[in-house]
Amino acid sequence: MDLITPAQRDELFSSFERDAFHLELRDDYGSPIEDTPYARWQRGEPDDYAWLDPWMTLMKRVTSEGKTVRRVRVITEPHSPYVGWEHSLTHLNQEAGEDIRWLPRHRLPEGIDFPVGGNDWWLYDDRLLAVGHFDPDGRVLGSEIFENPDTVAECVRVRDLLWTAAIPHAEYKP
C-alpha cells in the first residue's frame, strides 16, 4: 500500500474545488505536534495554540475562497480524555471556517457499515479519498489515495447519512 504523508495530504487542500469532508472514527489519536499541548491541557496549564497556526491558516485560506470544510467526529460516551481535549479546541477550528459535528456511537444510524476498513478519511469534491492509516497508538502512518468511483460513492453515501444524524458543535454538550 502506498501512503502519502500528512503534509502531502494537506496539499490536497490546494487542489479541491468545493467541499472537503473528514470522518473521524477514533477516540484517541497520537500526533507529535499535539503531544505537548495535550499534556499541558491534562495538567490544566494554558496553551497559546501556536502549534495550530499552520492548520488554522490553511483553513482560513480555503474557506475564504468559498470552499467548505466539514467534519463528523464519531465518539464514544463517556468521552476519552483526548475527545474532551478535542472538544475544548473545536471553537478554534470553527473560527477558521470549519463546520464540525459530533455523533455519539450509540446514536449511529442502524446498520451503518463504514467503508474503507473503518478507517478515518478525507473526501474531496466527492471524487477523491485520502484514507488515514494509524499505528496501534493512534499515530498517523499516512494516507492512502482512492479514486475508485464505487468506493467514493459509498463514502459520499455514508457522509450524507452521518452529517444529517450528527449534532452541530454549538448544540453538542458533552
Side-chain angles (χ1 to χ4, degrees):
M1 153 182 22
D2 291 328
L3 299 178
I4 63 171
T5 67
Q8 290 170 314
R9 189 215 51 229
D10 288 353
E11 289 174 15
L12 296 172
F13 285 95
S14 295
S15 60
F16 85 102
E17 297 173 4
R18 297 176 319 281
D19 181 63
F21 174 83
H22 193 202
L23 178 62
E24 296 180 12
L25 296 170
R26 303 177 59 89
D27 287 319
D28 288 291
Y29 292 88
S31 167
I33 197 166
E34 293 180 347
D35 288 346
T36 299
Y38 181 46
R40 277 190 207 123
W41 177 82
Q42 290 178 305
R43 293 188 303 264
E45 298 172 6
D47 188 343
D48 66 3
Y49 308 113
W51 59 277
L52 265 174
D53 285 346
W55 181 257
M56 296 296 109
T57 299
L58 176 61
M59 290 301 99
K60 287 175 185 175
R61 180 180 58 79
V62 166
T63 58
S64 73
E65 294 169 357
K67 301 173 186 178
T68 60
V69 179
R70 303 180 290 157
R71 296 179 193 242
V72 167
R73 292 177 169 154
V74 177
I75 42 93
T76 302
E77 292 179 330
H79 297 146
S80 68
Y82 183 90
V83 169
W85 177 62
E86 192 174 48
H87 188 271
S88 76
L89 298 171
T90 297
H91 68 96
L92 299 169
N93 296 80
Q94 289 190 302
E95 289 167 15
E98 290 187 68
D99 189 354
I100 299 175
R101 295 185 180 187
W102 301 85
L103 184 56
R105 288 184 203 289
H106 69 274
R107 293 184 56 177
L108 281 167
E110 191 168 325
I112 187 82
D113 185 28
F114 292 110
V116 294
N119 291 310
D120 289 13
W121 38 266
W122 278 98
L123 173 63
Y124 300 92
D125 291 333
D126 296 354
R127 65 171 182 78
L128 179 88
L129 280 171
V131 178
H133 292 273
F134 302 87
D135 74 10
D137 295 323
R139 299 231 183 253
V140 175
L141 298 172
S143 295
E144 184 178 8
I145 299 298
F146 287 87
E147 294 183 88
N148 174 289
D150 293 336
T151 303
V152 168
E154 183 60 16
C155 289
V156 167
R157 186 189 70 76
V158 167
R159 178 207 56 207
D160 293 347
L161 185 65
L162 296 181
W163 187 254
T164 301
I167 304 162
H169 177 70
E171 298 170 23
Y172 179 67
K173 305 300 178 213

